[in-house]
């Protein structure tokens, strides 16, 4: 369901494919644009929006915005705190006009407690985030740093609309603790319990039903064969029918990576438009930083730089994979700074995609002929309007965002189809997105015309390869996510080492 990186001359096929995939591959939105690759703390990697499938939570919608890609569990000593000089936002459009009607704004603060040890009669600041004792709960004495955050809900325009604080339902506080990353089993002996102590029931102004919230490190749920995709899309040729060996032939290259998640579980009635019978909402996530940064030539732990000026958006993510394989290389930074209301400038990337043409060149011998219908109305429905009868709003302005029909019943874990709608599961992608939706395989099949075989925006004759089983070989199953909020798995611990312990010097 994703298309394009912009080069089309057959004589330059190899250069075209390399340019198209080398900067970002298909890691949803990990390091997907030249500018944001320099600022991983504000790089949004994945966005999920789905009917909660946890037992007893049928009336809720879960929103998950992941940031800071490719986290190695052992990545100390500072690990992966969020940027206190950034603004992280989740936006909801509930009337189809491509503008935010509801925005959740997250701001972070990192405090150095400056724990000290007495060494030779002198008090000396320690260099680590743990000061010598194991920790088990929020703001533990053994933690040398404390990361907190606040959340505001904005109704209307995200910069000028009415703003109010989200508060803890237990005590009315508006500041929340974020757990430290999973340093290791000696520092945090029971990380699952420690992280659970940072899950909050919260009150959202204007909503009568309390929500749930969690912000912290998780195992990256995205599944993709990155390495072979980098290598001129060196994946298995498509098959005419399901082949378990082919669809499970490659490893998940993010299997050993963590990510930082911002998660909210909100009553559906709080997200849909008041007084409207339309159940469809659109969502996307962004990150912004101040326009100016003045570096301190004599920095200390509290003021290495001074930030100022207007908020400037540097990251944007709605549908997965769009800025990787839909938007041309020259426009990736532009897309990250844009709003859905301005998406007409990117329309050609959807109506006349180049990725199917590149796949045809690479795999034409396997019958992988690109669709012939132009404009690609099937992709317009997927990316820009929602599919009629599935997740298209009653009134819609063409724009890229993740769209969810909140009236579609959730499917319990164990019964979900990893291929979502094209696998017969209307509660899955592109009707929102769940952690268990294999968006890479779905994307490959939809750009090659799978929806044409279903007469959605085109006809079967338009897509000679629409029935082929394209796959990157990295298989997604129920072991990659959980059955209850916060749905994403406990992050990988930095210690102890459990496998692959070899020495390069011992090799022959």
């Amino acid at each position: 369901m994703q298309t394009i990186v912009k080069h089309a001359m057959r004589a330059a096929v190899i250069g075209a494919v390399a340019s198209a995939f080398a900067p970002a591959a298909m890691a949803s939105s990990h390091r997907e644009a030249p500018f944001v690759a320099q600022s991983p703390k504000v790089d949004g990697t994945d966005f999920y929006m789905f009917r909660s499938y946890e037992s007893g939570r049928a009336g809720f919608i879960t929103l998950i915005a992941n940031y800071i890609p490719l986290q190695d569990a052992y990545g100390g000593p500072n690990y992966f705190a969020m940027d206190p000089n950034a603004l992280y936002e989740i936006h909801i459009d509930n009337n189809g006009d491509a503008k935010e009607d509801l925005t959740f704004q997250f701001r972070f603060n990192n405090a150095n407690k400056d724990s000290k040890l007495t060494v030779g009669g002198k008090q000396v600041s320690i260099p680590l985030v743990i000061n010598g004792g194991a920790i088990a709960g929020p703001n533990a004495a053994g933690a040398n740093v404390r990361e907190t955050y606040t959340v505001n809900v904005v109704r209307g325009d995200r910069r000028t609309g009415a703003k109010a604080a989200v508060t803890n339902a237990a005590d009315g506080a508006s500041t929340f603790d974020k757990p430290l990353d999973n340093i290791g089993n000696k520092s945090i002996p029971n990380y699952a319990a420690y992280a659970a102590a940072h899950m909050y029931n919260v009150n959202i102004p204007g909503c009568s039903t309390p929500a749930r919230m969690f912000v912290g490190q998780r195992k990256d749920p995205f599944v993709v064969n990155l390495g072979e995709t980098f290598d001129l899309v060196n994946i298995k040729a498509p098959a005419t029918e399901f082949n378990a060996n082919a669809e499970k032939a490659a490893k998940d290259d993010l299997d050993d990576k963590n990510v930082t998640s911002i998660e909210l579980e909100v009553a559906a009635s709080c997200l849909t438009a008041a007084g409207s019978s339309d159940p469809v909402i659109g969502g996307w996530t962004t990150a912004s930083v101040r326009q100016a940064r003045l570096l301190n030539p004599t920095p200390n732990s509290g003021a290495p730089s001074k930030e100022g000026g207007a908020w400037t958006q540097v990251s944007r993510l709605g549908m997965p994979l769009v800025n990787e394989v839909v938007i041309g290389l020259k426009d990736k930074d532009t897309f990250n700074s844009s709003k859905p209301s301005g998406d007409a400038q990117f329309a050609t990337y959807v109506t006349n995609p180049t990725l199917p043409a590149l796949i045809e060149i690479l795999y034409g011998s396997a019958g992988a002929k690109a669709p012939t219908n132009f404009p690609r109305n099937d992709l317009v429905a997927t990316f820009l309007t929602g599919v009629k009868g599935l997740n298209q709003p009653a009134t819609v302005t063409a724009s890229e965002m993740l769209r969810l029909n909140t009236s579609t019943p959730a499917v319990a874990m164990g019964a979900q189809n990893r291929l979502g709608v094209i696998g017969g599961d209307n509660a899955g992608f592109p009707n929102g997105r769940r952690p268990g939706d294999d968006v890479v395989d779905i994307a490959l099949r939809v750009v090659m015309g799978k929806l044409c075989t279903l007469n959605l925006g085109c006809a079967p004759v338009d897509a000679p390869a629409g029935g082929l089983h394209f796959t990157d070989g990295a298989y997604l199953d129920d072991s990659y996510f959980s059955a209850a909020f916060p749905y994403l798995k406990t992050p990988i611990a930095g210690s102890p080492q459990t496998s692959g312990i070899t020495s390069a010097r011992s090799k022959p």
Side-chain angles (χ1 to χ4, degrees):
M1 194 169 296
Q2 282 33 41
T3 49
I4 315 178
V5 184
K6 203 176 179 184
H7 308 300
M9 301 299 293
R10 187 183 183 97
V13 171
I14 299 301
V17 177
S19 298
F21 288 92
M26 296 183 73
S28 191
S29 200
H30 299 56
R31 295 174 52 83
E32 82 290 349
F35 184 74
V36 81
Q38 303 174 40
S39 304
K41 286 182 179 292
V42 289
D43 185 357
T45 67
D46 285 283
F47 179 57
Y48 301 87
M49 181 170 68
F50 56 93
R51 279 282 296 267
S52 297
Y53 52 84
E54 178 183 347
S55 178
R57 305 295 289 182
F60 290 83
I61 306 299
T62 296
L63 309 169
I64 304 175
N66 287 344
Y67 284 90
I68 313 182
L70 307 176
Q71 296 179 18
D72 290 316
Y74 49 80
N78 291 301
Y79 297 94
F80 304 98
M82 300 289 267
D83 187 350
N85 294 308
L87 176 65
Y88 301 86
E89 298 175 297
I90 297 174
H91 310 279
I92 300 295
D93 170 20
N94 58 25
N95 59 12
D97 66 354
K99 299 177 181 179
E100 67 272 10
D101 298 295
L102 198 65
T103 296
F104 298 98
Q105 297 181 332
F106 292 76
R107 294 293 311 277
F108 292 85
N109 182 65
N110 303 324
N112 178 4
K113 295 182 181 181
D114 195 21
S115 300
K116 296 179 173 65
L117 290 177
T118 301
V119 181
K122 293 184 178 182
Q123 290 285 294
V124 184
S125 298
I126 71 169
L128 305 175
V129 299
I130 299 292
N131 65 23
I135 63 175
N139 192 27
N144 195 22
V145 296
R146 184 186 186 190
E147 188 173 7
T148 60
Y149 63 98
T150 59
V151 190
N152 285 315
V153 60
V154 181
R155 298 187 183 276
D157 184 273
R158 60 178 171 167
R159 299 292 176 258
T160 62
K163 181 184 299 185
V166 172
T167 57
N168 192 328
D171 58 13
S174 59
T175 298
F176 303 88
D177 274 282
K178 174 182 172 289
L180 297 177
D181 294 340
N182 196 356
I183 298 166
N185 296 349
K186 189 174 182 180
S187 297
I188 311 174
N190 187 342
Y191 193 87
Y194 169 71
H198 294 81
M199 189 169 74
Y200 301 98
N201 292 317
V202 298
N203 292 323
I204 299 173
C207 295
S208 58
T209 305
R212 291 196 291 190
M213 182 169 69
F214 173 81
V215 177
Q217 191 180 53
R218 297 280 90 187
K219 167 69 184 70
D220 194 331
F222 193 70
V223 172
V224 63
N225 174 8
L226 271 178
E228 292 186 330
T229 304
F230 277 127
D231 186 24
L232 299 180
V233 200
N234 187 22
I235 59 178
K236 300 291 184 184
T240 57
E241 59 186 25
F242 175 77
N243 183 318
N245 290 331
E247 302 210 15
K248 302 179 181 180
K251 73 181 183 72
D252 168 26
D253 284 329
L254 301 184
D255 185 60
D256 61 349
K257 303 299 182 184
N258 293 326
V259 74
T260 300
S261 299
I262 295 174
E263 304 200 27
L264 280 169
E265 186 187 51
V266 185
S269 59
C270 292
L271 300 177
T272 54
S276 172
S277 60
D278 189 353
V280 177
I281 60 174
W284 68 102
T285 182
T286 63
S288 301
V289 296
R290 295 294 188 182
Q291 278 186 323
R293 168 173 290 180
L294 182 64
L295 297 181
N296 186 346
T298 56
N300 57 50
S301 61
S305 65
K306 180 68 175 179
E307 323 290 322
W311 288 116
T312 303
Q313 183 179 305
V314 295
S315 180
R316 170 187 169 188
L317 177 59
M319 296 282 287
L321 301 168
V322 167
N323 210 4
E324 286 68 23
V325 292
V326 176
I327 305 299
L329 184 60
K330 73 180 182 68
D331 285 328
K332 289 181 182 296
D333 290 330
T334 302
F335 180 83
N336 265 349
S337 66
S338 67
K339 298 180 179 180
S341 57
D343 280 349
Q345 65 186 306
F346 307 117
T348 299
Y349 288 125
V350 178
T351 60
N352 296 73
T354 59
L355 180 60
L358 296 173
I359 291 175
E360 178 180 340
I361 292 167
L362 291 167
Y363 296 107
S365 61
K369 183 173 175 56
T372 57
N373 55 305
F374 299 104
R376 287 290 302 273
N377 290 326
D378 53 328
L379 299 185
V380 169
T382 300
F383 292 118
L384 304 181
T385 65
V387 178
K388 191 171 184 179
L390 176 72
N391 65 340
Q392 186 179 105
T395 302
V396 62
T397 300
S399 52
E400 189 279 311
M401 64 181 70
L402 197 58
R403 290 181 172 87
L404 172 68
N405 187 332
T406 63
S407 68
T408 304
V411 174
M413 180 175 172
Q416 297 174 11
N417 189 301
R418 71 181 184 92
L419 297 177
V421 172
I422 65 171
D425 181 356
N426 283 351
F429 184 75
N431 185 19
R433 181 188 176 190
R434 303 168 300 198
D437 293 328
D438 192 343
V439 295
V440 173
D441 282 10
I442 298 170
L444 288 169
R445 298 179 196 195
V446 170
V447 298
M448 294 306 290
K450 178 63 177 179
L451 296 186
C452 297
T453 70
L454 305 176
N455 290 294
L456 295 175
C458 46
V461 68
D462 297 321
L468 295 184
H469 289 248
F470 290 89
T471 179
D472 70 333
Y475 197 78
L476 177 61
D477 59 33
D478 287 0
S479 68
Y480 286 81
F481 56 98
S482 300
F485 187 85
Y487 294 106
L488 306 188
K489 305 282 278 189
T490 298
I492 298 166
S495 167
Q497 295 179 343
T498 56
S499 63
I501 304 174
T502 58
S503 171
R505 286 176 290 187
S506 68
K507 293 179 180 179

